[in-house]
Amino acid sequence: MNESVPALKDQQDAALRFLKFAMSHDQTPDGAAKAIAIAVNEIESARDEITRLHAALAQAESRVDKMKEVLGAYERWEADLIQYCETWISGLPTITQEFYDRLIEIGGMRNAAIRTLPGTASQMK
């Protein structure tokens, strides 16, 4: 999204230049009308870009929330494994079927979250 910020700034600058031009050519109505029409077009383009950026931000925030859920699930799984594991071998907890099943479920949550990222849906099957 950062690459769109300069373009948005350029549109804003162009709109302001056209408005200044229109204000300085108030003696020629056709010139002022053209400049105002161009400025309006630039402003509408900037508005559309802002709307697109807001939508992209909402999608990104949603993805962040999903990844937070996944990370929280991993954290709970790890804490439960350490706290409730009954058998330890060489200082490491052994993974029971219950813990394994939860790990597979969390992996599915992770994969689903990753699939929502742009350009990754085709990479994960």
Side-chain angles (χ1 to χ4, degrees):
M1 264 192 311
N2 288 342
E3 65 275 359
S4 298
V5 173
L8 192 57
K9 179 72 173 139
D10 290 343
Q11 287 177 332
Q12 180 186 26
D13 291 343
L16 289 173
R17 280 194 309 275
F18 286 121
L19 284 173
K20 288 177 183 176
F21 173 80
M23 290 170 47
S24 68
H25 288 81
D26 60 351
Q27 297 167 350
T28 58
D30 287 341
K34 286 180 183 179
I36 290 171
I38 292 169
V40 167
N41 186 44
E42 291 293 327
I43 291 168
E44 287 175 344
S45 294
R47 181 202 57 215
D48 294 345
E49 182 67 6
I50 289 169
T51 301
R52 186 191 70 74
L53 291 171
H54 277 285
L57 178 60
Q59 287 179 342
E61 288 172 340
S62 174
R63 291 181 188 122
V64 166
D65 289 341
K66 287 178 185 175
M67 288 308 296
K68 283 181 180 179
E69 289 176 26
V70 171
L71 292 173
Y74 272 122
E75 182 181 35
R76 287 185 299 279
W77 178 86
E78 182 182 51
D80 288 348
L81 178 65
I82 292 169
Q83 186 172 5
Y84 299 114
C85 181
E86 295 178 8
T87 308
W88 290 70
I89 299 174
S90 300
L92 298 173
T94 58
I95 297 178
T96 63
Q97 187 64 46
E98 176 189 353
F99 281 109
Y100 180 76
D101 291 345
R102 282 179 57 196
L103 184 60
I104 295 300
E105 181 182 338
I106 295 167
M109 291 170 57
R110 179 203 59 219
N111 292 345
I114 290 172
R115 280 189 204 99
T116 67
L117 298 174
T120 58
S122 62
Q123 295 173 0
M124 297 199 60
K125 295 181 181 179

